[in-house]
Amino acid sequence: MLWGRFRKHLVLISALGFLIFLIATGISSARGTKTYKADIKKNDYRRASYNGADKYNVLNEDLGNDKSNDEGEDKHYRRDNETLVYNQNSNKDRGPDEDADMDSRHDSYTGKYQHITGDRWIVITTIAYPTSDVRFLAQVPGWKVVVVGDTKTPNDWTLPNCVYLSVEDQRHLGFKTVSLLPTQNYARKNVGYLFAIAHGAKIIYETDDDNRPLDLLENFIQDETTWGLLYNGGKLFNPYRHFGQPSLWPRGYPLSSVGENFSTEYTLSHWKTPSMQQGVVNGDPDMDAIFRLTRKITTSKLNVAFDGEAPPALLPPGVFAPYNSQNTLFLYDALWSLVLPTTVTFRVCDIWRGYMAQRLIWEMGGNLGFFPPNAFQVRNAHSYLKDATEEKDLYFKTERFVAFLRVWTCESSKSFFECMTQLASDMAQNDFWGDTDAKLISFWVQDLKALGYKEPARVAFSQVGTDSKLSKPERQTDQEFRVKFWASEQSPPLIYSTIKEQRGFTSHVSQISSYCRFQSLEVNAVKGIRTYPHLLLIVVFKSPNYQNLQFIETYYSVHFQHIVYCGANKNQFENQANLLSKPASFLEIDIGDRWIAQNCLTQAMKMRYNVEGYLYTDSNILLNTWTRYDLPLGQLWLGNSSVQQQSSSGFMFPNLKDGLEAIVKKFKLPDGNRYSAFAQKLLDNLESKVELFNGGSEIAYVPKIYKQDVMYFVEHFSKLSMPGEFIFPTVFGGIENWKNVHRLTETYLSYDGNSQDMKTFLALKDVLHLPRTTFMPKGRNFFCNTVFPLTLNNH
């Protein structure tokens, strides 16, 4: 397929750029030891990097005042057999009197912060005055911020709702970890993590002073369990591909796997919430120097966009993915994983930490999840060759590191923290980091225990080794659904290319030409096609007859970026989906008889698309998305519905003969208050206790604000095997005044495919019902000769 060949070309370009990079820099496998001093000036918005042990990274925004902080102690240190050796003015062995003096100062410093508590903390480090992004973080409702300073941070740094820890403050907090943290080092963030835990943190969000979470951190999951998609593909996961950028890869992704085939296989179920949650970032996301040297203009700013409506992805044990320290949330049972190493470069430290944490979290039954973009980052151009020298371990050691972690084991007799210290030591022995970091992990564990942090319990974990079958986290329900997922593909960064992407109408005409390859088509100029990028279209096939899939995809994809097809027999769907120009998303549900097709709606909602509404439609009807622009997206929609008398309902469906009152007595709703409000609203709408709403169930629309109620009541009514003709109207009538439910106008296409019926539909109606004959091969002629010409030229 075209998109597949395009992706491979991009990968080849990146590989070529990498070769150029190797020649230009003469990279060796030896570690760099050169130190680069930061030159921070007023209004200097750039990144200053420190290599080797003397590392840091700053994105310094407008400082506001021309102040510098050169008065603080400037510790210098060197590497000596992988051990950090400080000068005589830094930490050194202390005698008993000095220890007593230190304890006294520790008591005074800890007392200084005793009144500060909070269960949700944001942790950052900075050497600049408060940036606009830091000011934004300080105003996120319900969160406290701890800012870790360094020797270059202004002495008078202050901001409301922020706890600022100077280097001097950090020394007297009583944490053993501090003794191994160099100054001018990103790992000083470790002090902030410990401070937050000491002051009540149950959740920690970490970021940098140049990142801004635009959703106020509300899209991360903080409940104990969640419905969602568990990746069921290979043993590596590329989150950028999942969120609509298949030709990009995050920093730390194994380079040898960038061009490998991808998987779209997932499992939908109810899982334990991921303990570590990484949100991808729009704008200039975290990518390595190879990408920046080959895929962007050197002086330009990137403006990468990911699919913001795509659902989160959960990773099972056995699957690795790199995650960074720039937009990541940690639940309480994963706070142990926050510790950053000091003996690897700045560009490596958080990636190595993340890989280590993923391996360990499998030992406690936890996992990692990736979330749609909820933050934006701006970076100014800087020396990407310097970045590349800091990333050498990522280029040449990641494959070996992941392979090492995959086969690493810990004796069952050991506690979780004992496994953690063992892995840290094993990593040092295998040259993934220095001995100092093994000691750092030991001190970190001691600090956690001293703070009363609850050590995770180990769970039985089946080592994956080279077995192709991956483990799964424990499900919270017996329900499990196979899913194929493909995000709405976004525009990739391109340089020096005259090829323009086909989007919107042009792409739509290309699809029609492919589908109607034996017919000629004349098209007038079309402008302003209405699209619905923030809605999810759910197309239900009540039988596994997918012959019309290509037509439906062509008809709707110009309007809807997010479509999920739902039905039985995934293999039959894939046979037809292979004819499409791009992968399609599919939710496999054994629909059985036609009365329980509404499960497609509720299960699609549980996939956790980040959308504003859900449009459910049967595959044998068409919604007029071409001329009916006034459909209210803030209201519930239904087809024609009426009040059904119990006598006639009893004739058609004996289980309904006693009316609604008898039906609701057959099941107990866990939430009595919720049911009472539902029953009262339904009674107000019906004006009788013995009648039910009855109407079409082939199309419905649910705005996001009604999502939870619709899922709750549709699932409970479905347990009684009630037909959809009753469930949708009755549920809608129980959660909203009936006069506020929008009623769609409908018409039917005659069996001979009369073009006048199509013209009437486009001019006057919302919904067109298609006869069975359109599902036969000859239906293609009707679509190509009548439907597409009329929809395009009557737009």
Side-chain angles (χ1 to χ4, degrees):
M1 288 182 276
L2 290 177
W3 61 267
R5 292 197 296 269
F6 178 66
R7 180 177 64 87
K8 291 180 180 178
H9 289 322
L10 291 177
V11 173
L12 289 174
I13 292 172
S14 296
L16 178 60
F18 183 40
L19 292 176
I20 296 172
F21 155 69
L22 289 175
I23 295 172
T25 60
I27 287 179
S28 69
S29 60
R31 298 183 180 212
T33 58
K34 185 176 180 180
T35 299
Y36 294 91
K37 294 292 183 181
D39 182 16
I40 306 300
K41 300 178 181 179
K42 182 179 179 182
N43 298 327
D44 184 13
Y45 191 72
R46 66 185 181 186
R47 182 174 296 278
S49 297
Y50 297 79
N51 289 338
D54 210 4
K55 61 191 178 302
Y56 206 137
N57 188 58
V58 178
L59 184 61
N60 183 27
E61 201 172 40
D62 185 355
L63 303 184
N65 298 306
D66 191 10
K67 299 181 180 181
S68 61
N69 182 31
D70 294 326
E71 299 174 359
E73 288 186 272
D74 201 357
K75 299 289 185 292
H76 299 283
Y77 49 87
R78 58 186 174 84
R79 286 188 184 277
D80 183 11
N81 296 325
E82 296 298 336
T83 301
L84 296 174
V85 180
Y86 291 81
N87 65 18
Q88 60 182 356
N89 293 321
S90 65
N91 289 346
K92 58 184 179 179
D93 293 335
R94 298 189 302 266
D97 294 338
E98 291 172 301
D99 284 335
D101 181 56
M102 177 67 74
D103 290 341
S104 174
R105 284 183 289 175
H106 163 64
D107 292 340
S108 64
Y109 270 87
T110 54
K112 173 182 176 181
Y113 302 113
Q114 280 182 350
H115 66 287
I116 301 174
T117 59
D119 58 0
R120 297 191 295 176
W121 284 83
I122 298 170
V123 179
I124 62 172
T125 183
T126 187
I127 63 171
Y129 279 104
T131 65
S132 61
D133 291 326
V134 173
R135 294 180 186 278
F136 182 91
L137 290 170
Q139 298 176 34
V140 177
W143 291 79
K144 291 187 177 297
V145 181
V146 56
V147 179
V148 183
D150 212 322
T151 55
K152 290 290 185 179
T153 312
N155 287 326
D156 57 347
W157 200 105
T158 183
L159 189 67
N161 197 39
C162 291
V163 176
Y164 172 66
L165 301 176
S166 69
V167 173
E168 187 67 18
D169 293 334
Q170 296 165 38
R171 292 195 185 105
H172 302 300
L173 289 175
F175 302 139
K176 295 190 68 174
T177 300
V178 176
S179 66
L180 294 178
L181 299 180
T183 55
Q184 298 186 10
N185 192 289
Y186 189 67
R188 297 205 74 86
K189 231 179 175 184
N190 292 333
V191 184
Y193 307 142
L194 290 171
F195 182 91
I197 294 170
H199 291 266
K202 297 295 184 290
I203 299 174
I204 289 179
Y205 170 73
E206 68 162 342
T207 187
D208 290 334
D209 60 0
D210 57 355
N211 276 258
R212 178 175 301 205
L214 302 179
D215 66 342
L216 301 180
L217 306 179
E218 293 178 354
N219 286 330
F220 288 118
I221 304 174
Q222 300 176 29
D223 298 327
E224 292 184 359
T225 61
T226 181
W227 277 87
L229 296 181
L230 183 78
Y231 182 62
N232 196 29
K235 294 182 180 179
L236 287 171
F237 178 79
N238 182 346
Y240 291 177
R241 178 178 287 159
H242 175 88
F243 291 107
Q245 289 284 4
S247 69
L248 307 187
W249 65 93
R251 174 171 58 94
Y253 193 80
L255 294 179
S256 62
S257 299
V258 167
E260 289 182 352
N261 291 332
F262 59 87
S263 174
T264 60
E265 302 295 327
Y266 295 78
T267 301
L268 173 65
S269 191
H270 193 201
W271 314 101
K272 178 182 179 293
T273 297
S275 302
M276 304 178 296
Q277 303 175 27
Q278 168 94 78
V280 297
V281 176
N282 281 337
D284 199 337
D286 190 20
M287 292 180 284
D288 60 32
I290 291 178
F291 172 88
R292 299 182 189 283
L293 288 167
T294 60
R295 295 275 296 280
K296 73 178 289 290
I297 298 174
T298 303
T299 58
S300 68
K301 292 183 175 68
L302 281 177
N303 190 18
V304 174
F306 293 98
D307 182 359
E309 283 71 39
L314 285 58
L315 304 191
V319 175
F320 282 103
Y323 72 89
N324 60 35
S325 60
Q326 296 175 12
N327 183 34
T328 314
L329 183 133
F330 297 79
L331 301 183
Y332 181 82
D333 63 356
L335 298 186
W336 54 266
S337 69
L338 283 158
V339 58
L340 288 161
T342 66
T343 64
V344 293
T345 66
F346 166 75
R347 300 289 293 174
V348 174
C349 66
D350 56 342
I351 303 300
W352 257 213
R353 175 194 72 171
Y355 277 128
M356 175 187 179
Q358 286 175 76
R359 177 57 190 88
L360 286 170
I361 206 166
W362 303 342
E363 298 288 337
M364 51 167 273
N367 64 332
L368 168 67
F370 287 91
F371 286 71
N374 66 334
F376 194 90
Q377 183 170 25
V378 176
R379 308 173 198 256
N380 268 15
H382 58 281
S383 174
Y384 302 129
L385 288 177
K386 289 181 180 179
D387 282 355
T389 61
E390 285 205 347
E391 293 173 358
K392 287 185 297 183
D393 283 359
L394 298 182
Y395 304 155
F396 301 114
K397 289 187 177 182
T398 300
E399 283 83 355
R400 184 169 70 88
F401 188 28
V402 170
F404 161 79
L405 292 173
R406 197 176 298 283
V407 299
W408 180 84
T409 58
C410 184
E411 295 178 5
S412 59
S413 60
K414 291 188 175 182
S415 69
F416 183 84
F417 280 156
E418 287 173 334
C419 290
M420 186 175 180
T421 54
Q422 177 191 321
L423 179 54
S425 177
D426 292 344
M427 287 172 58
Q429 292 178 16
N430 283 273
D431 194 34
F432 295 117
W433 61 25
D435 292 334
T436 299
D437 281 328
K439 186 176 181 181
L440 175 70
I441 298 298
S442 178
F443 280 13
W444 169 267
V445 168
Q446 293 177 49
D447 284 333
L448 290 179
K449 290 180 177 180
L451 293 175
Y453 176 76
K454 184 178 180 181
E455 179 178 3
R458 290 186 67 187
V459 300
F461 170 68
S462 176
Q463 177 67 339
V464 294
T466 58
D467 187 0
S468 60
K469 186 176 181 181
L470 299 173
S471 303
K472 288 184 180 179
E474 183 179 354
R475 296 198 314 268
Q476 308 296 311
T477 178
D478 292 333
Q479 292 182 302
E480 181 177 291
F481 305 94
R482 293 199 300 171
V483 172
K484 289 182 69 68
F485 169 74
W486 185 254
S488 172
E489 198 163 337
Q490 308 296 299
S491 299
L494 296 172
I495 60 173
Y496 310 127
S497 174
T498 59
I499 300 175
K500 301 299 181 182
E501 288 189 277
Q502 291 186 337
R503 291 281 177 180
F505 176 70
T506 304
S507 177
H508 179 58
V509 173
S510 298
Q511 286 182 288
I512 294 175
S513 298
S514 175
Y515 181 72
C516 305
R517 54 188 179 275
F518 299 117
Q519 282 88 4
S520 60
L521 181 65
E522 294 183 6
V523 180
N524 296 329
V526 177
K527 297 181 180 179
I529 293 177
R530 184 168 186 183
T531 60
Y532 303 88
H534 306 300
L535 302 186
L536 176 64
L537 175 64
I538 305 154
V539 180
V540 180
F541 289 82
K542 291 179 179 175
S543 64
N545 183 349
Y546 300 107
Q547 290 184 357
N548 270 12
L549 176 63
Q550 192 176 2
F551 162 72
I552 294 171
E553 172 76 9
T554 303
Y555 181 86
Y556 281 123
S557 62
V558 68
H559 302 288
F560 297 93
Q561 295 180 16
H562 305 92
I563 304 176
V564 170
Y565 298 101
C566 182
N569 200 317
K570 179 170 166 284
N571 293 335
Q572 289 189 32
F573 173 84
E574 289 175 337
N575 290 336
Q576 294 296 320
N578 289 333
L579 301 175
L580 303 179
S581 60
K582 60 182 179 64
S585 297
F586 179 74
L587 171 60
E588 184 181 50
I589 291 182
D590 186 8
I591 295 178
D593 62 45
R594 63 193 181 98
W595 304 129
I596 57 173
Q598 63 268 13
N599 285 344
C600 286
L601 172 63
T602 57
Q603 301 309 324
M605 287 177 166
K606 292 177 183 177
M607 291 171 67
R608 297 187 68 97
Y609 273 87
N610 184 30
V611 292
E612 296 302 316
Y614 301 83
L615 178 57
Y616 162 99
T617 181
D618 194 280
S619 61
N620 69 344
I621 67 172
L622 298 180
L623 178 67
N624 186 352
T625 52
W626 291 92
T627 61
R628 306 294 281 182
Y629 289 165
D630 57 348
L631 295 175
L633 299 181
Q635 294 179 231
L636 296 162
W637 305 351
L638 271 180
N640 293 327
S641 298
S642 61
V643 174
Q644 177 72 48
Q645 299 294 330
Q646 62 170 320
S647 58
S648 57
S649 67
F651 174 76
M652 293 181 63
F653 311 108
N655 62 324
L656 304 182
K657 65 181 180 180
D658 295 327
L660 177 67
E661 205 167 20
I663 290 172
V664 296
K665 291 180 180 178
K666 294 182 180 180
F667 64 92
K668 300 291 186 181
L669 291 176
D671 190 338
N673 293 332
R674 197 173 193 177
Y675 165 68
S676 297
F678 175 88
Q680 185 59 52
K681 178 71 70 176
L682 193 61
L683 181 61
D684 293 342
N685 281 324
L686 287 170
E687 300 179 356
S688 172
K689 292 185 179 181
V690 295
E691 295 175 332
L692 289 168
F693 280 117
N694 175 32
S697 62
E698 294 178 316
I699 188 167
Y701 171 73
V702 180
K704 181 180 179 179
I705 58 173
Y706 298 100
K707 173 185 174 181
Q708 296 301 325
D709 282 337
V710 169
M711 282 198 303
Y712 185 83
F713 288 108
V714 166
E715 290 199 320
H716 280 289
F717 278 101
S718 296
K719 293 176 183 177
L720 301 177
S721 297
M722 283 181 63
E725 280 85 343
F726 286 89
I727 290 180
F728 280 123
T730 301
V731 168
F732 285 17
I735 62 177
E736 184 54 87
N737 292 326
W738 191 244
K739 64 181 181 181
N740 295 330
V741 177
H742 182 74
R743 310 288 289 280
L744 297 169
T745 58
E746 303 176 74
T747 188
Y748 290 80
L749 181 68
S750 59
Y751 279 90
D752 60 357
N754 192 315
S755 62
Q756 185 58 45
D757 295 335
M758 191 68 193
K759 292 178 181 178
T760 300
F761 161 60
L762 290 174
L764 302 172
K765 302 296 182 180
D766 300 322
V767 176
L768 177 68
H769 292 257
L770 301 174
R772 286 182 177 274
T773 54
T774 58
F775 288 86
M776 307 303 174
K778 67 178 183 181
R780 183 188 295 260
N781 293 328
F782 170 71
F783 297 141
C784 294
N785 295 331
T786 303
V787 175
F788 289 132
L790 286 174
T791 54
L792 292 176
N793 294 318
N794 285 275
H795 173 69

